[in-house]
């Protein structure tokens, strides 16, 4: 990438997840009698069992993915990969590599051109999305002061997402801020205008990201 992207790399955002939980338990004077009654009651299904089962659903090991490259439609078999760095899985096309970059950040890059890549950062549930949007725009302005808001991809995964983009010297950085039932994630895609146009391939793979 050009020197402008080095400035982008230096721009960082610290997201903190604060979790507080508490439980209250009251003593029951008639606990022995209740215990006898409960022993005679049939076992009831715990609603959390369904939730746990849903969260741990099994994904197929492979999935065909269609994408546009250089104006032509291609279809290849992508294979399920689990991040060793964050709690998500996704389908990865051949010739791409998913690897941990640093804590809370993964990179999906073209095997032979590591400068063509997508950075994946899971967003905490309690993240300040307005602040995240402002910081993302500042990062993109390190590439080009003019930051645009292109039309979102026509897919439910990107519904209500925030998309911003900046270009310089033939290189483009595209950022997505996504919060939905499938995943809360920030995506940053780095592509160029060479004969190898992989932006659509990254977008199609991104649609398969799911929290574990």
């Amino acid at each position: 990438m050009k020197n402008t992207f080095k400035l982008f790399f230096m721009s960082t955002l610290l997201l903190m997840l604060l979790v507080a939980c508490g439980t209250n338990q009251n003593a029951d004077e008639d606990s022995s009698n209740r215990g006898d009654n409960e022993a005679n009651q049939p076992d009831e299904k715990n609603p959390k069992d369904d939730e746990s089962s849903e969260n741990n659903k099994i994904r197929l090991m492979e999935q065909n993915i269609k994408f546009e490259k250089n104006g032509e439609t291609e279809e290849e078999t992508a294979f399920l990969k689990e991040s060793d760095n964050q709690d998500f899985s996704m389908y990865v096309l051949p010739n791409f590599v998913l690897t941990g970059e640093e804590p809370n950040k993964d990179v999906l890059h073209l095997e032979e051109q590591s400068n063509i890549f997508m950075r994946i950062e899971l967003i905490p549930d309690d993240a300040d999305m307005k602040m995240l949007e402002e910081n993302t725009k500042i990062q993109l302005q390190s590439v080009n002061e003019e930051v645009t808001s292109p039309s979102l991809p026509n897919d439910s995964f990107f519904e209500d997402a925030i998309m911003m983009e900046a270009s310089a010297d033939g290189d483009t950085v595209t950022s997505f801020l996504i919060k939905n039932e499938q995943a809360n994630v920030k995506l940053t895609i780095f592509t160029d205008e060479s004969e190898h146009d992989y932006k659509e391939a990254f977008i199609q793979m991104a649609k398969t990201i799911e929290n574990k």
Side-chain angles (χ1 to χ4, degrees), residues 6-188:
K6 293 181 180 179
L7 296 175
F8 188 95
F9 298 149
M10 295 173 63
S11 180
T12 60
L13 174 65
L14 300 179
L15 296 176
M16 300 183 63
L17 176 61
L18 302 177
V19 179
C21 64
T23 59
N24 294 320
Q25 182 174 0
N26 296 322
D28 190 344
E29 296 178 355
D30 202 17
S31 59
S32 59
N33 292 333
R34 285 184 53 203
D36 292 339
N37 292 335
E38 290 175 356
N40 296 325
Q41 295 296 324
D43 291 338
E44 294 184 3
K45 192 173 183 181
N46 190 337
K48 291 184 178 180
D49 291 341
D50 289 336
E51 181 181 352
S52 176
S53 176
E54 182 178 350
N55 290 339
N56 294 313
K57 66 181 180 180
I58 297 175
R59 307 186 74 184
L60 298 176
M61 294 305 298
E62 57 186 59
Q63 175 179 304
N64 285 353
I65 290 181
K66 290 183 179 181
F67 58 95
E68 298 286 333
K69 189 174 78 171
N70 300 328
E72 297 184 1
T73 300
E74 299 191 14
E75 182 174 2
E76 295 186 49
T77 300
F79 296 90
L80 184 66
K81 302 290 183 182
E82 289 193 356
S83 168
D84 295 327
N85 194 35
Q86 300 183 89
D87 290 332
F88 74 88
S89 62
M90 69 182 299
Y91 289 96
V92 176
L93 287 166
N95 301 320
F96 288 86
V97 177
L98 177 66
T99 184
E101 181 184 38
E102 57 183 85
N104 303 316
K105 292 182 182 180
D106 284 83
V107 165
L108 177 67
H109 66 84
L110 194 61
E111 191 169 22
E112 298 180 354
Q113 292 177 266
S114 59
N115 62 317
I116 306 297
F117 68 96
M118 176 171 66
R119 178 175 290 123
I120 303 168
E121 304 171 62
L122 295 187
I123 300 173
D125 291 335
D126 62 350
D128 186 333
M129 293 301 292
K130 187 64 178 177
M131 181 178 293
L132 182 56
E133 180 181 355
E134 292 173 357
N135 278 300
T136 300
K137 185 174 182 178
I138 291 172
Q139 289 177 324
L140 289 169
Q141 286 174 335
S142 68
V143 177
N144 191 322
E145 283 294 324
E146 183 179 352
V147 176
T148 62
S149 298
S151 299
L152 289 167
N154 185 22
D155 188 271
S156 59
F157 181 78
F158 295 97
E159 186 176 0
D160 299 326
I162 297 170
M163 180 181 181
M164 293 180 281
E165 194 169 78
S167 299
D169 301 325
D171 296 320
T172 299
V173 181
T174 307
S175 292
F176 292 93
L177 301 178
I178 300 163
K179 290 196 75 173
N180 56 39
E181 294 181 356
Q182 188 171 321
N184 299 339
V185 63
K186 174 182 177 181
L187 305 173
T188 310

